Every structure is written in C-alpha cells, then in structure tokens.
Amino acid sequence: MELTYQPYELLLKHAFTIAKFSRTSTPVMLVQMSHEGKTGYGEASMVPYMGESHQSATEFLSKVDVARFSYPFDFRTIISYLDSIAPGNPAVKAAIDIALHDLDGKLKQQPCWQLLGSNPQLMPVTSFTIGIDTPEMIIKKVKEADGFKVIKVKLGRDSDKELVTTIRSVTDVPLYVDANQGWTDLQQSLDMTYWLHEQGVQLIEQPMLKTDPDSNAWLTERSPIPIIGDEAVQRFEDVEKAKGVYTGINIKLMKSAGLYEAKRMIDKARELDLKIMIGCMTETSCAALAGLALAPQADWVDLDGPFLVSNNPYIMPEFEDGKYVLNEDAGLGLRF
C-alpha cells in the first residue's frame, strides 16, 4: 500500500461570502492510495472555519502508517486508527477514507455507489449556491445557475430580504436557505421563516448558533419550513443530539471524516426519523463524486462544489436536468 499527496489551491469563480466571512479560494489536499496496480483518489477540502490547512494536513498524513490498511479494508478499524493519530482533522481523514473507497471499488470492479447501497434512479436534484453579494452580482450568479432546478442562498445579515427579493425578480425556482448561524432574535427568526415560506423556500440550514440547541429547537417546532442542522452536526455522535432540535441534518464528508461514517450517519438519521441532506464544501469532482455515491439515500442534495470553482483538475461529473448522473465506472467514477 502506498500513500501520496499534493497540496492544491482551489479557486472560486466569485468571492464567496456567508454570514461570518468571505473568501476567494480554498486549500485542498489531493490524496492517492495505491495497491495491486490500482490507485484510489481522495480529497481534503479545508475551509477556514474548520481549522485545517495544508500544513496541518501534511503533518497528519506524515504520521499515517499505511501498513495498517490491509485489504480487504475494515473501514471501522481504519477510522478508529485515524482518530487515534489526532483529534479533529476530519477533512484529511475524509481524504484517506475517500481514496480507500475509490480503491476498494476499483479492486472489486464495482462503483462505490453500488457498494454503499445507493440506487442511481433515486438521485435528488442538486442545488446551486449563491453567496451574499450585491444585487447586480446576485442576478449574474442566478443566470450562471441556468439548468439547476434549485438555488441555495446564503443569508444571515441585515440584507436577507433584499437578497431573496432580488433572486425572485429573475427566477421562480425553489430555494434552499443557509443562515450559517447568522440569526439571533427568536421572534424575528420565526417571522422570517414565514416570509421565506411565502417566497418558495423549502428548507433552512443552521439559523441559530450551533451551541444554542434550545433556540434552534424552539424555531424548528414553530417553523413552516424544515430546519436543518449543519455546523451543529459534524460526526456520528452528533446525530442523536439533533433529534428534537432539527428536522434533519446536513451530512458533509469533510465533517464526517469520509464515506464510512457518513453512511452510518444516514442510517442513524433514518432510525431517528430525521431528514437527510448531503452537502459539500468547496470541492473538486473527486469529493463531489464521493458525496454522490450516497446522495440517492438523501432527501436533499447540495453538491455543487465543482460548478463554483475555476480550476477543477478533473472532468465534471455528468449533469442532466438538474441532477447528477452516476456512471458505471469502478470506484468513484472520477475521470481525468
């Protein structure tokens, strides 16, 4: 077994602004795991608020003993080993997990989506994300979302209504909203949910602080729109805590440390009657395809990462009528 990796800077087509910060690029680490003539590809997308970087990823990867990854892979043991190296670091752990899943599929000559029990016919539409911006740029971004059946809009500032109204001036497609913990006043937040409901919004992600489950639960109980936990739901142990606080959870591979734990989170969420969203960070086709392997098991999908960047090193996954189309290639189906 051989591990190789390269740092990469993923450039955004537009400055990406949410409630608490703005950025124009994202550091990623491209990872490869090779065994018996096959190579699996993985990726760590390290958005600033998660605390990972090229340096932290390099330090972590330098400590990984690949001799522990004997085939056939025991993913439960592997994630336990990765967690034992250092706490946190979910994105770089995800990179290894994704590469090993890709490798596993290639060695078995089966697609990852098949090995994970997904049905391509059940693929939901994916949303196209628009960050906070000026009305002129919002309209420009909406035009770039042509072909998408859902638009996701970042809120969490005083201009929330203006932003949604601007979008509504040029399109009537359904909307998802992500407040990124930007709402603070309960009554104003509740009033906003009703107004957004009138605007055709289908869900709201993480409206209140992740550290304030009581306020999120209060809002979820009264909102006409499903409330989805995002920053509050990182890994498997957070799923049970979301019950009674949110309508559903947003699972991202860069939070869950990869596909193995994400699949466990899906199964636990279904057991608890929680809705499921599969989301992403700023990602290349590699991590997007990993998320897509599980996407047919979700209620909502937000895997638009490759559409938002200008230097994706891989071919775009097939996209048709607002949905990704899974291919029959072994492993992730990543193409160069």
Side-chain angles (χ1 to χ4, degrees):
M1 197 76 64
E2 181 185 4
L3 166 66
T4 55
Y5 48 91
Q6 306 83 35
Y8 192 73
E9 193 72 20
L10 202 52
L11 305 177
L12 288 151
K13 290 179 180 177
H14 303 290
F16 191 67
T17 302
I18 66 172
K20 298 183 184 297
F21 62 82
S22 181
R23 57 191 164 87
T24 56
S25 68
T26 301
V28 301
M29 187 68 81
L30 304 176
V31 170
Q32 302 85 39
M33 295 292 308
S34 300
H35 182 62
E36 294 183 356
K38 302 288 186 182
T39 299
Y41 294 83
E43 170 188 353
S45 173
M46 300 170 288
V47 294
Y49 79 87
M50 293 291 287
E52 292 182 75
S53 65
H54 284 147
Q55 180 180 347
S56 68
T58 301
E59 290 174 357
F60 186 92
L61 291 166
S62 70
K63 298 174 184 175
V64 175
D65 177 9
V66 294
R68 289 174 170 263
F69 303 150
S70 58
Y71 192 77
F73 302 127
D74 179 345
F75 286 102
R76 181 176 181 176
T77 300
I78 288 169
I79 194 62
S80 295
Y81 163 63
L82 295 177
D83 282 338
S84 75
I85 294 174
N89 295 279
V92 72
K93 292 172 183 176
I96 295 170
D97 169 278
I98 292 168
L100 290 174
H101 273 88
D102 187 31
L103 180 57
D104 187 43
K106 288 171 177 173
L107 291 168
K108 291 176 178 173
Q109 298 187 312
Q110 287 182 270
C112 285
W113 57 259
Q114 190 173 69
L115 293 172
L116 290 163
S118 293
N119 179 354
Q121 302 304 313
L122 300 179
M123 179 69 74
V125 297
T126 196
S127 56
F128 181 92
T129 304
I130 293 178
I132 297 169
D133 217 319
T134 63
E136 294 77 19
M137 282 301 297
I138 292 296
I139 291 172
K140 177 179 171 63
K141 291 176 181 179
V142 169
K143 290 178 180 176
E144 291 178 6
D146 185 46
F148 284 78
K149 304 298 185 183
V150 182
I151 288 175
K152 176 174 161 179
V153 54
K154 296 287 189 175
L155 299 184
R157 294 187 178 178
D158 294 340
S159 58
D160 284 357
K161 284 192 176 183
E162 179 189 15
L163 201 157
V164 174
T165 301
T166 300
I167 293 174
R168 277 289 168 253
S169 72
V170 289
T171 183
D172 60 358
V173 300
L175 301 177
Y176 300 161
V177 156
D178 187 355
N180 285 115
Q181 308 181 76
W183 294 357
T184 54
D185 183 277
L186 277 175
Q187 189 56 52
Q188 286 181 7
S189 298
L190 182 59
D191 293 344
M192 191 67 174
T193 66
Y194 276 89
W195 184 81
L196 290 171
H197 186 247
E198 293 170 359
Q199 304 304 312
V201 171
Q202 298 187 338
L203 63 85
I204 301 171
E205 290 182 61
Q206 203 63 59
M208 321 292 286
L209 287 173
K210 67 178 183 179
T211 52
D212 189 359
D214 292 342
S215 293
N216 283 295
W218 185 93
L219 191 61
T220 297
E221 185 179 354
R222 294 162 177 80
S223 170
I225 304 172
I227 305 294
I228 311 302
D230 181 4
E231 286 89 346
V233 183
Q234 305 283 327
R235 296 192 58 176
F236 179 77
E237 62 267 19
D238 297 319
V239 178
E240 196 147 8
K241 301 172 192 173
K243 177 68 173 176
V245 179
Y246 304 100
T247 315
I249 60 173
N250 186 351
I251 299 171
K252 296 177 180 175
L253 301 187
M254 298 302 137
K255 297 188 300 180
S256 72
L259 283 159
Y260 170 73
E261 191 153 319
K263 172 58 174 167
R264 290 184 67 213
M265 292 173 75
I266 288 172
D267 294 342
K268 187 64 175 180
R270 290 296 182 211
E271 180 187 313
L272 296 170
D273 199 28
L274 287 164
K275 295 285 189 181
I276 296 162
M277 184 177 195
I278 300 290
C280 67
M281 304 300 188
T282 309
E283 298 171 357
T284 76
S285 298
C286 180
L289 282 163
L292 287 168
L294 288 172
Q297 302 179 39
D299 300 286
W300 305 289
V301 173
D302 176 39
L303 289 171
D304 58 349
F307 287 94
L308 304 179
V309 301
S310 61
N311 62 336
N312 181 3
Y314 311 109
I315 291 176
M316 286 286 294
E318 187 178 351
F319 190 79
E320 186 177 296
D321 198 29
K323 300 179 181 180
Y324 284 103
V325 180
L326 294 172
N327 62 46
E328 298 285 340
D329 295 357
L332 293 175
L334 184 64
R335 294 174 178 177
F336 297 82

